[in-house]
Amino acid sequence: MIPHHAQALVMTELVAERSGRNDLPLLAERMDVSQRDEIVLLEQWLEERGEDVPDASAGHDHGDGELMPGMLTDDDLARLEGASGRAFDELFLQYMIRLHEGALVMVAKLLSGDE
């Protein structure tokens, strides 16, 4: 989940320069703060249990080359980075929703014992 949150941070960093809306930067700032806080909490939780802590800047796959649910591909990120104004805003929101829906898939899988 740490790399998942890290990708959200990559996305929020793009908002200030690319968004055409006045309200999206505040939303992105709130997302940034919450994702950073959650990364710290996850790292602490893993460390306390003697588990490996994944590098937040590492790849966004399961280790087998398959992306975690909801993760953006390099092409998706490039498309977002290349957009501005309304096109950026729409992509940002679509991708952020996809990213968080993927997180819910991972949590449901974990809670079901399929992990």
Side-chain angles (χ1 to χ4, degrees):
M1 193 60 81
I2 291 172
H4 216 267
H5 286 359
Q7 190 172 75
L9 295 176
V10 169
M11 295 170 63
T12 60
E13 289 175 8
L14 301 173
V15 172
E17 292 182 7
R18 291 174 174 80
S19 179
R21 298 183 54 95
N22 293 330
D23 54 353
L24 197 56
L26 179 58
L27 176 63
E29 180 181 347
R30 289 177 177 171
M31 289 177 172
D32 186 90
V33 169
S34 66
Q35 297 296 287
R36 289 182 193 282
D37 288 347
E38 288 179 22
I39 288 171
V40 169
L41 181 63
L42 289 166
E43 289 172 339
Q44 289 172 344
W45 189 90
L46 290 168
E47 287 171 358
E48 289 169 2
R49 286 156 181 79
E51 299 289 333
D52 291 333
V53 177
D55 181 0
S57 63
H60 301 111
D61 59 37
H62 285 289
D64 56 5
E66 182 180 333
L67 288 176
M68 288 184 251
M71 296 292 288
L72 277 63
T73 64
D74 290 340
D75 288 342
D76 292 334
L77 285 171
R79 186 172 174 210
L80 185 62
E81 289 172 357
S84 62
R86 183 181 174 114
F88 172 84
D89 298 338
E90 289 177 3
L91 277 176
F92 175 83
L93 293 171
Q94 289 168 0
Y95 287 165
M96 194 61 78
I97 290 167
R98 180 174 107 190
L99 186 68
H100 284 83
E101 286 176 341
L104 294 174
V105 168
M106 291 191 302
V107 169
K109 187 174 183 178
L110 177 68
L111 293 175
S112 72
D114 288 342
E115 193 64 19

